[in-house]
Amino acid sequence: MHDESNTTEEPVEFADFNAKLLVLDVLCYDLDVLQPYAGDDDESDEDLDVEGQDDRAREYYDDLDLLPSQLSLVTELTVDSDLEVLQDVHPGWDGSDDRYDPQNWDDVLDLPALGTVYAAAPLPAHVVERLAAKGVEVRSA
């Protein structure tokens, strides 16, 4: 884990929470830069909202600051319903709807070192075009 407590960097605000989740999956689970949501032993089904979302996990990830130095570590992103961070936010979600699909990709496009996006399903054409224009390779299933 990186200690960013002595940094003067300003956190980056994401316009789209779902895009932030894609980045958080890399930073929390692939690179171990940030601590993923751990939950409580006391959590129960009552902690889930009516649609099955874990509001504590969502709030944790929403409040997590992302610094430019951390974002510069992200070279690859995966767009898939099986991401661990999505299972934190919505345990048991099967990806059968688009509730966690980013609507605004600007923050992803601003990732300085992003080189590849792996997508389990085809991304919207306008997103692929914008990523390609930035030199990002998109690999779809």
Side-chain angles (χ1 to χ4, degrees), residues 1 10-11 18 20 27 31 33 36 43 51 62 79 81 86 96-97 104 109 127 131:
M1 299 280 176
E10 289 294 320
N18 294 339
K20 182 178 181 180
L27 293 173
L31 301 178
V33 172
E43 286 186 351
E51 295 187 10
D62 194 33
V79 182
S81 61
L86 295 179
S96 61
D97 57 43
N104 181 333
L109 288 160
V127 173
L131 288 166

Side-chain angles (χ1 to χ4, degrees), residues 7-64:
T7 187
T8 59
E9 291 182 285
E10 289 294 320
V12 174
E13 293 294 324
F14 271 66
D16 187 303
F17 179 68
N18 294 339
K20 182 178 181 180
L21 288 174
L22 298 177
V23 173
L24 282 168
D25 194 76
V26 173
L27 293 173
C28 292
Y29 288 103
D30 296 345
L31 301 178
D32 295 323
V33 172
L34 296 171
Q35 187 69 37
Y37 178 71
D40 295 331
D41 292 335
D42 299 342
E43 286 186 351
S44 68
D45 288 343
E46 293 177 11
D47 295 316
L48 305 179
D49 72 10
V50 293
E51 295 187 10
Q53 178 175 271
D54 184 331
D55 290 334
R56 290 182 185 181
R58 182 181 174 94
E59 183 177 349
Y60 173 81
Y61 286 125
D62 194 33
D63 291 345
L64 206 54

Side-chain angles (χ1 to χ4, degrees), residues 92-104:
W93 180 66
D94 64 3
S96 61
D97 57 43
D98 63 357
R99 76 181 69 201
Y100 296 107
D101 290 352
Q103 300 303 306
N104 181 333

Side-chain angles (χ1 to χ4, degrees), residues 119-139:
L123 298 177
H126 72 279
V127 173
V128 173
E129 290 171 9
R130 291 180 65 199
L131 288 166
K134 301 253 329 175
V136 176
E137 179 183 2
V138 177
R139 296 184 184 176

